[in-house]
Amino acid sequence: MTPETLLNQISPACDILRSAISGAAQTLLEFNRRLEQILQQLHKNIPVRDTEFAAQFNAFCVQMRKEQDEREQFWTQARADARACKPSDWTGELALAAKGFNSRAKTLSRAADEFTTAYDIFCRNYKSFTAAKLNVWLLTSCQNDFASLTGKILFLAREIAKHTDKNRGPYVCG
């Protein structure tokens, strides 16, 4: 696979992953809001109205795990393809695309940070919740995998940008 083709594949995939992580963070914040309401109802000895919370949360975690497993194979192959390219293959003509991918990777990293924040908030509230069995371990697994994958993608983007920048030549300023 040529470096140009690889960049054309991984840049949009990075945006798709960022969108998925951002969506998962928003969903998790919504689950947190619902959990806070349930905790308030339990604290006041009011019957819990949100009876579907546990089933929906567990389904969300299973779906997120499934999607994460599907993405992992693509990114493992993309990273292997990028490592198969020699540093000299990343020509100066690819510098703009490489910088664009680097920028996308940074926004992906911010989205992963937002998911981690939502995860931390949820776990803080979950500590005092024992009324239902939730698959928080699956959520933790996804959060760890998001952080790990994002770090790998960010490293890949920086390496590609470094190689293309170095191969631009001494005649290019800036």
Side-chain angles (χ1 to χ4, degrees):
M1 176 174 294
T2 67
E4 184 176 6
T5 305
L6 182 62
L7 274 174
N8 289 338
Q9 286 181 352
I10 59 179
S11 287
C14 189
D15 286 338
I16 292 169
L17 180 58
R18 179 193 48 79
S19 164
I21 292 175
S22 292
Q26 292 304 314
T27 303
L28 188 55
L29 288 172
E30 177 61 25
F31 277 118
N32 183 60
R33 184 193 61 75
R34 290 171 62 188
L35 179 61
E36 286 176 340
Q37 287 178 340
I38 290 170
L39 289 171
Q40 287 175 357
Q41 291 168 0
L42 290 172
H43 182 70
K44 295 176 182 177
N45 291 327
I46 299 172
V48 175
R49 295 179 209 128
D50 193 351
T51 58
E52 296 295 314
F53 176 79
Q56 290 174 356
F57 177 80
N58 289 339
F60 165 72
C61 291
V62 167
Q63 180 64 28
M64 195 168 41
R65 177 78 262 162
K66 181 181 167 214
E67 291 172 3
Q68 181 67 16
D69 290 343
E70 291 170 0
R71 281 188 207 96
E72 189 68 36
Q73 184 179 4
F74 170 80
W75 284 106
T76 300
Q77 184 62 46
R79 290 176 31 244
D81 290 345
R83 284 191 302 270
C85 297
K86 295 180 282 194
S88 60
D89 291 343
W90 298 99
T91 61
E93 293 87 35
L94 298 174
L96 186 59
K99 286 185 180 197
F101 175 56
N102 194 18
S103 176
R104 286 181 169 103
K106 287 177 184 176
T107 58
L108 171 64
S109 178
R110 280 188 225 109
D113 290 344
E114 289 172 7
F115 183 81
T116 299
T117 300
Y119 167 79
D120 290 341
I121 292 169
F122 183 84
C123 285
R124 198 173 323 125
N125 287 324
Y126 175 71
K127 279 193 296 188
S128 61
F129 182 68
T130 57
K133 186 171 178 142
L134 300 180
N135 291 339
V136 175
W137 61 272
L138 203 52
L139 179 67
T140 301
S141 170
C142 290
Q143 188 274 329
N144 288 335
D145 288 349
F146 279 149
S148 175
L149 181 61
T150 300
K152 291 173 184 176
I153 293 170
L154 195 54
F155 180 78
L156 176 67
R158 288 177 180 155
E159 286 297 305
I160 290 172
K162 181 176 77 171
H163 291 312
T164 57
D165 206 31
K166 186 171 81 173
N167 292 334
R168 285 174 70 190
Y171 54 87
V172 179
C173 296

